[in-house]
Structure formats: structure tokens, C-alpha cells
């Protein structure tokens, strides 16, 4: 769902720490589901496996190591004027648009 002008994403999520609301975000259903599924959240900025940390990579808490996700061959469509590409993990709602329709 593309966001236009002042349209807010459909879900509002509150982050509560020690019974105090620390922050509130408006987000899409997918990211809200991730936040509300009790995920492990960690700073991986300087992690030794940083190049392997992408969507669908696996994490082993006993070794604190990540394993890269298997490569998935996807069908490629041409870019069309007005298309916007989001980052691999879905990115910001403001970046998401309907993919290009392949020429007939």
C-alpha cells in the first residue's frame, strides 16, 4: 500500500518499557506483526557476520552467529517509470509501491 501525503499507515504500535510508553509508531501490518510477535531485537551494526545478516538469515543463540539465507531465484520484471525499489527487508512504507507490470 503506497502512502500519499498525510495518510498514516494502518497500525499504531506503542513501545512500553517499565510500564511507560517510550515511543509510538504508525506502521504497516507486516512490520506490526513482527514487533508484536515478541522478537529478539539486537544491534548488529558491528557484528562479525554483518554481511550475512539479511531477511531469512538464521541465528544460532548458542554460538551468537548468523548464517546467510539461501539464495532464492526470483522472476525479474523490468523497472517502469515511477517504480520505487525498497530495501530487501521491506523498508519504509513510504518506499513501497506496486511492482511494474511486465510488458505484454
Amino acid at each position: 500500500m503506497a502512502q500519499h501525503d498525510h495518510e498514516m499507515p494502518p497500525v499504531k504500535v506503542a513501545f512500553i518499557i517499565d510500564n511507560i510508553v517510550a515511543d509510538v509508531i504508525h506502521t504497516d501490518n507486516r512490520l506490526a506483526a513482527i514487533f508484536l510477535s515478541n522478537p529478539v531485537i539486537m544491534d548488529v551494526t558491528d557484528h562479525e557476520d554483518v554481511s550475512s545478516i539479511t531477511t531469512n538469515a538464521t541465528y544460532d543463540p548458542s554460538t551468537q552467529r548468523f548464517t546467510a539465507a539461501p539464495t532464492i531465484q526470483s522472476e525479474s520484471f523490468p523497472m517502469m517509470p515511477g517504480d520505487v525499489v525498497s530495501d530487501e527487508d521491506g523498508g519504509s512504507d513510504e518506499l513501497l509501491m506496486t511492482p511494474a507490470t511486465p510488458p505484454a
Side-chain angles (χ1 to χ4, degrees), residues 17-57:
I17 301 171
D18 297 328
N19 298 324
I20 297 173
V21 176
D23 206 344
V24 177
I25 64 165
H26 291 264
T27 188
D28 61 78
N29 291 321
R30 179 190 156 280
L31 188 56
I34 291 170
F35 280 133
L36 298 174
S37 68
N38 197 25
V40 172
I41 299 174
M42 59 182 14
D43 180 353
V44 295
T45 306
D46 296 322
H47 194 282
E48 63 184 307
D49 296 328
V50 72
S51 63
S52 299
I53 304 171
T54 61
T55 302
N56 293 322

Side-chain angles (χ1 to χ4, degrees), residues 38-95:
N38 197 25
V40 172
I41 299 174
M42 59 182 14
D43 180 353
V44 295
T45 306
D46 296 322
H47 194 282
E48 63 184 307
D49 296 328
V50 72
S51 63
S52 299
I53 304 171
T54 61
T55 302
N56 293 322
T58 57
Y59 177 68
D60 182 343
S62 66
T63 62
Q64 298 182 351
R65 299 296 307 266
F66 290 86
T67 302
T71 304
I72 298 172
Q73 187 70 13
S74 62
E75 190 171 337
S76 177
F77 293 103
M79 292 297 293
M80 305 299 268
D83 287 349
V84 176
V85 178
S86 66
D87 64 328
E88 66 186 282
D89 65 357
S92 168
D93 281 348
E94 296 172 340
L95 298 176

